[in-house]
């Protein structure tokens, strides 16, 4: 089980996350300031104790990663949202 963290700070190096979207770190930071990149961080409990779930959305691309306590990615996936679902998710900031 995961619950929202008190911060939505990026818990990994910006270069690593930006690369997942094909962006430079500078562009990633610019798009984040403009509100085009949404980030959520959730901390694990019970069977997920010690893990953090990081989700980043840029347009229709959503990258999910499970990050261990040592800041290493344990699992990651990228999804592509289509149409209305993508717009709704962006509007739900």
């Amino acid at each position: 089980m995961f619950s929202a963290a008190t911060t939505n700070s990026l818990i990994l190096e910006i270069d690593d996350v930006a690369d997942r979207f094909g962006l430079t770190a500078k562009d990633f930071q610019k798009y984040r300031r403009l509100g085009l990149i949404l980030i959520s961080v959730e901390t694990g409990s019970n069977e997920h104790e010690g893990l953090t779930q990081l989700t980043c959305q840029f347009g229709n691309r959503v990258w999910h990663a499970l990050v261990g306590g040592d800041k290493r990615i344990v699992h990651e996936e990228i999804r592509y949202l289509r149409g209305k679902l993508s717009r709704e998710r962006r509007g739900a900031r």
Side-chain angles (χ1 to χ4, degrees):
M1 185 166 139
F2 289 91
S3 60
T6 56
T7 178
N8 283 341
S9 299
L10 201 55
I11 58 172
L12 298 172
E13 295 294 322
I14 288 178
D15 290 331
D16 294 335
V17 180
D19 187 54
R20 293 333 196 255
F21 291 98
L23 299 171
T24 64
K26 184 177 178 180
D27 284 342
F28 184 90
Q29 290 174 317
K30 178 177 78 173
Y31 295 144
R32 188 171 176 203
R33 276 193 309 274
L34 292 171
L36 299 174
I37 293 178
L38 307 176
I39 296 173
S40 71
V41 179
E42 299 175 305
T43 55
S45 60
N46 300 327
E47 70 273 10
H48 296 112
E49 189 73 37
L51 293 175
T52 301
Q53 181 173 276
L54 174 63
T55 304
C56 297
Q57 180 180 353
F58 179 49
N60 71 332
R61 295 174 283 176
V62 180
W63 178 70
H64 294 281
L66 288 179
V67 181
D70 57 358
K71 305 281 189 200
R72 292 181 59 177
I73 297 171
V74 177
H75 175 79
E76 66 180 312
E77 66 183 33
I78 192 157
R79 294 183 312 144
Y80 297 88
L81 303 178
R82 293 177 42 173
K84 187 176 179 182
L85 183 60
S86 177
R87 289 187 297 276
E88 285 175 359
R89 187 169 170 98
R90 283 194 309 257
R93 294 180 212 188

